Amino acid sequence: DNTLPSAAANGGFFAFALVTNSSDGSSTVEPVLIFEVEPRPGWSAAFLYRSDWQSKLKAHLLHEFATAAGTFTVSASSVSFSPANFICRMEPLCAGPGRCLLGKVALERLYGLREVLADC
């Protein structure tokens, strides 16, 4: 299922998102844990449109361990972005407390998306 839900139930969900750096305006594709969804006023559907610039998603960035490829920790800091910056949902192989492991397909997708963005 690759829809963008209008609520983040059970601790949230993992996704790839286009995240903008507030200091220099550059954007990167990042794995995130979306923990809160704020639909635009009056929205009642179970999903959000990706073209929606009014709703807000709040997420923790996932940071990759330098010594263990594919292993990520959940950052304590959070970022906010609109559904327009949501790329797709992803499922880690395991999600222990504060950690997750991305499988081969998810890692290839992440690195491929970053490469496409770098070419733009």
Side-chain angles (χ1 to χ4, degrees):
D1 182 18
N2 207 23
T3 59
L4 178 54
S6 61
N10 301 322
F13 56 93
F14 292 93
F16 293 131
L18 186 63
V19 178
T20 302
N21 183 330
S22 60
S23 63
D24 66 6
S26 64
S27 296
T28 59
V29 176
E30 297 293 340
V32 297
L33 171 58
I34 297 173
F35 64 88
E36 187 175 328
V37 179
E38 297 176 10
R40 68 180 185 224
W43 189 259
S44 61
F47 60 90
L48 297 176
Y49 286 122
R50 292 176 195 228
S51 60
D52 180 357
W53 287 93
Q54 295 177 343
S55 298
K56 294 290 176 213
L57 307 172
K58 292 184 182 177
H60 293 293
L61 293 173
L62 303 181
H63 297 289
E64 189 168 14
F65 279 105
T67 57
T71 303
F72 291 78
T73 57
V74 178
S75 170
S77 61
S78 62
V79 295
S80 295
F81 53 92
S82 73
N85 290 63
F86 169 84
I87 298 172
C88 64
R89 291 174 67 169
M90 60 102 171
E91 293 295 328
L93 293 176
C94 62
R99 300 177 79 157
C100 69
L101 179 66
L102 300 188
K104 181 181 178 188
V105 172
L107 278 175
E108 287 174 352
R109 179 171 291 157
L110 173 62
Y111 298 146
L113 288 166
R114 286 179 174 171
E115 188 175 311
V116 168
L117 184 61
D119 291 342
C120 293

